[in-house]
Amino acid sequence: MSLDKRMSTWHMGRLWVTEWVSPKEAHMHGLEEIIYEGRTKYQHVLIARTFAFGKTLFLDGYVQSTELDEAIYHEALVHPAMLTHPSPRKVAIIGGGEGATLREVLKHRSVERVVMVDIDSELIELCKKFLPEWSKGAFDDPRVELIFSDGRRFIEETGEKFDVIILDLTDPAEGTPGIKLYTKEFYEAVYNALSEDGVAVTQATSIRYYLFAFTAIRNTLSKVFPKVRPYKIFIPAFLCEWGFMLASKSRDPLELSEEEIRERIRDLDLIFYDEEAHRFLFWIPKFVRKKMDEIDLVSTDSNPLIIY
Ligand code: SAM
């Protein structure tokens, strides 16, 4: 097995990938098998089988999702937003490489059309080939239009209105293509591309490692949307609570009744999300809320949020 020397090391007779979560902390993944390694036009891609999490997608050295727990991440990202809208018919996914976000959206019977816009066509082909368990045929669903373009450009130029817009992007890390998709100007374009009761949701980085980024995303969305709700869930492969931010033009996810959630997900075949999970997702611990109150960072095009 071979791998870029900067991110891999041999130890105890086995190859390890080191994922740097901060300059002072790293998560090491013991590799059973390298399935694919290479560079697309936009990012470094490693698809490997790790001993702890099974098949795993790494982009630029960061875990994106794993066979063991991808469903927790994708159900948490998709369903609270889909339920906050009373009956989503048109959905846009910006990013979403692996196709699992698409899979979850398509479970909702009200959905008539989904546009998925990812910048990296080579990555999508790799996901289709090596990670078909993630998309489970979703790319072939007749309701889907797949567009390869910069998500910001699509959102700014589309004349179409969507009921739900899901931002399943890589973190705004230095030198990565997602930085301009966390700014106030971008969120204004998202607002304009939403229908009257429209709902947007974004992955919002790690609460533990990047609380400043999680809070900046909350602050920035709050400049544009009347209702913004932070939420989180522990993702074992990320070794931390992962953050999300739901932004809505009218309905509030906290006002959804348990009966409505139960009724609307009855036929969806979910492993994690239900009415109990919904209540727990939106609970942010007191000490985290206190720290968030002390951070006033807002991301703009001229001064964008960047994780170094
Ligand atoms: N689950 C992930 C996480 O933990 O951060 C994010 C999912 S997904 C793999 C991220 C996708 O965002 C990738 O497929 C990448 O190509 C896409 N992406 C990044 N920047 C983009 C942009 N400017 N426009 C469209 N897609 C973008």
Side-chain angles (χ1 to χ4, degrees), residues 43 64 73 97-98 118-119 123 150-151 168-170 177 181 238:
Q43 45 216 342
Q64 300 296 306
Y73 171 93
E98 305 95 314
D118 198 291
I119 201 165
L123 175 67
D150 174 38
D168 186 16
L169 293 155
T170 39
L181 287 84
F238 297 169

Side-chain angles (χ1 to χ4, degrees), residues 42-43 57 59 63-65 73-74 77 94-98 101 116-120 123-124 127 149-152 168-171 176-182 203 238 242:
Y42 297 100
Q43 45 216 342
L57 171 67
L59 293 182
V63 172
Q64 300 296 306
S65 58
Y73 171 93
H74 290 107
L77 173 69
I94 308 301
E98 305 95 314
T101 297
M116 174 172 157
V117 185
D118 198 291
I119 201 165
D120 196 340
L123 175 67
I124 307 290
C127 290
S149 168
D150 174 38
R152 175 154 180 171
D168 186 16
L169 293 155
T170 39
D171 290 344
T176 57
I179 289 173
K180 288 287 173 75
L181 287 84
Y182 290 86
Q203 77 90 0
F238 297 169
W242 202 255

Side-chain angles (χ1 to χ4, degrees), residues 122-156:
E122 291 169 85
L123 175 67
I124 307 290
E125 285 313 312
L126 292 168
C127 290
K128 282 185 185 171
K129 184 166 175 193
F130 296 116
L131 304 173
E133 307 87 338
W134 270 244
S135 53
K136 290 197 166 67
F139 289 114
D140 301 323
D141 190 294
R143 293 172 289 174
V144 174
E145 183 182 358
L146 185 57
I147 296 176
F148 298 120
S149 168
D150 174 38
R152 175 154 180 171
R153 185 189 311 162
F154 171 82
I155 287 290
E156 285 176 346

Side-chain angles (χ1 to χ4, degrees), residues 22-308:
S22 88
K24 293 176 183 155
E25 195 177 335
H27 184 184
M28 288 180 72
H29 305 267
L31 295 196
E32 207 177 337
E33 180 193 3
I34 295 173
I35 297 168
Y36 173 88
E37 195 223 347
R39 270 207 77 84
T40 69
K41 186 174 164 199
Y42 297 100
Q43 45 216 342
H44 178 269
V45 181
L46 170 64
I47 299 173
R49 194 181 304 281
T50 69
F51 284 98
F53 296 103
K55 271 200 218 174
T56 300
L57 171 67
F58 296 82
L59 293 182
D60 290 326
Y62 291 99
V63 172
Q64 300 296 306
S65 58
T66 81
E67 192 176 353
L68 188 82
D69 59 9
E70 62 83 8
I72 302 176
Y73 171 93
H74 290 107
E75 290 185 16
L77 173 69
V78 169
H79 300 299
M82 293 295 283
L83 265 63
T84 299
H85 191 281
S87 180
R89 290 188 305 113
K90 295 214 300 181
V91 179
I93 299 168
I94 308 301
E98 305 95 314
T101 297
L102 188 60
R103 176 196 76 208
E104 292 304 317
V105 167
L106 291 167
K107 287 180 180 173
H108 290 261
R109 267 201 255 137
S110 61
V111 170
E112 293 167 5
R113 168 169 162 76
V114 190
V115 182
M116 174 172 157
V117 185
D118 198 291
I119 201 165
D120 196 340
S121 59
E122 291 169 85
L123 175 67
I124 307 290
E125 285 313 312
L126 292 168
C127 290
K128 282 185 185 171
K129 184 166 175 193
F130 296 116
L131 304 173
E133 307 87 338
W134 270 244
S135 53
K136 290 197 166 67
F139 289 114
D140 301 323
D141 190 294
R143 293 172 289 174
V144 174
E145 183 182 358
L146 185 57
I147 296 176
F148 298 120
S149 168
D150 174 38
R152 175 154 180 171
R153 185 189 311 162
F154 171 82
I155 287 290
E156 285 176 346
E157 291 178 1
T158 181
E160 218 173 327
K161 297 282 184 199
F162 296 94
D163 299 318
V164 176
I165 296 180
I166 299 174
L167 306 172
D168 186 16
L169 293 155
T170 39
D171 290 344
E174 197 183 14
T176 57
I179 289 173
K180 288 287 173 75
L181 287 84
Y182 290 86
T183 67
K184 178 169 167 283
E185 291 82 353
F186 175 63
Y187 292 147
E188 282 164 353
V190 169
Y191 186 96
N192 292 332
L194 282 168
S195 60
E196 209 176 310
D197 283 323
V199 180
V201 65
T202 181
Q203 77 90 0
T205 81
S206 162
I207 294 193
R208 165 139 188 259
Y209 302 119
Y210 313 123
L211 186 64
F212 74 96
F214 178 71
T215 310
I217 295 168
R218 191 267 317 255
N219 296 347
T220 307
L221 280 166
S222 300
K223 297 269 176 215
V224 178
F225 284 84
K227 288 193 177 64
V228 177
R229 296 291 184 193
Y231 66 101
K232 52 89 198 73
I233 188 64
F234 184 80
I235 306 285
F238 297 169
L239 269 189
C240 63
E241 303 259 301
W242 202 255
F244 303 87
M245 214 56 73
L246 191 151
S248 163
K249 283 190 171 182
S250 60
R251 299 229 313 181
D252 186 339
L254 298 186
E255 286 167 10
L256 278 168
S257 71
E258 295 204 347
E259 290 69 27
E260 182 175 359
I261 296 175
R262 214 177 297 126
E263 183 53 32
R264 287 181 60 189
I265 64 169
R266 197 152 40 103
D267 303 323
L268 297 198
D269 187 24
L270 306 179
I271 66 135
F272 158 75
Y273 179 78
D274 64 5
E275 64 279 9
E276 277 185 40
H278 186 88
R279 207 169 350 112
F280 173 73
L281 282 170
F282 288 90
W283 172 70
I284 303 291
K286 185 177 174 184
F287 69 92
V288 176
R289 294 196 308 264
K290 187 163 177 287
K291 280 194 195 160
M292 289 175 75
D293 287 345
E294 292 158 10
I295 300 169
D296 54 14
L297 203 63
V298 169
S299 177
T300 60
D301 280 352
S302 55
N303 190 18
L305 167 70
I306 299 179
I307 294 174
Y308 291 97

